[in-house]
Amino acid sequence: MKDINNKGKVNRFKYLLYFYGFFVVFMFIYKFIIAPDLPNLVLLAAFAPLFGFMSSFVNWPIYIHAAEADGGMVINTQKLFSKKQHSLLITKYNFDSYFETDHFHIGLNVLDEDDKLRKHRIKVSWMRLKDLRALEEKLKEINPYAPVK
């Protein structure tokens, strides 16, 4: 299995945020230093794209890296602009079932070290469709009879 990684899509969003930040700074410098006689309507051009980013605050991007491990797979997740990383090892011995979630996540019931069933939600909304299908196929390969609870 090829490693599944959505770093490119999340990095495009990160650089778009950087570009938007520079655009806002440029608009303020232009309005208040270079051309102070401009109407305040120009500042709306700086804040109009903010409404496009509102949905991204709810659906914040997450880096996902899924790699094959001995007898299963390891899924590493990390939020954008965060240092904290979460890892999840899924094997045929600890992967029990799926649980229903919204369309942003895949819900997995996984046994931990104490044989307690834990719910893990993997955010897949920032993955490409072919990577999402590859992840689902690998999960079906690990436990083909996993029910939805």
Side-chain angles (χ1 to χ4, degrees), residues 21-39:
F22 288 132
F23 177 70
V24 168
V25 168
F26 171 75
M27 290 304 286
F28 271 99
I29 290 173
Y30 189 76
K31 166 68 176 125
F32 293 113
I33 296 175
I34 298 173
D37 56 336
L38 276 174

Side-chain angles (χ1 to χ4, degrees), residues 22-79:
F22 288 132
F23 177 70
V24 168
V25 168
F26 171 75
M27 290 304 286
F28 271 99
I29 290 173
Y30 189 76
K31 166 68 176 125
F32 293 113
I33 296 175
I34 298 173
D37 56 336
L38 276 174
N40 288 336
L41 192 60
V42 173
L43 290 179
L44 277 177
F47 289 107
L50 184 64
F51 297 107
F53 290 118
M54 287 295 192
S55 65
S56 299
F57 294 133
V58 174
N59 183 20
W60 193 249
I62 289 184
Y63 292 108
I64 295 177
H65 182 255
E68 193 163 359
D70 42 306
M73 68 187 307
V74 175
I75 300 175
N76 297 319
T77 59
Q78 179 182 2
K79 287 186 179 181

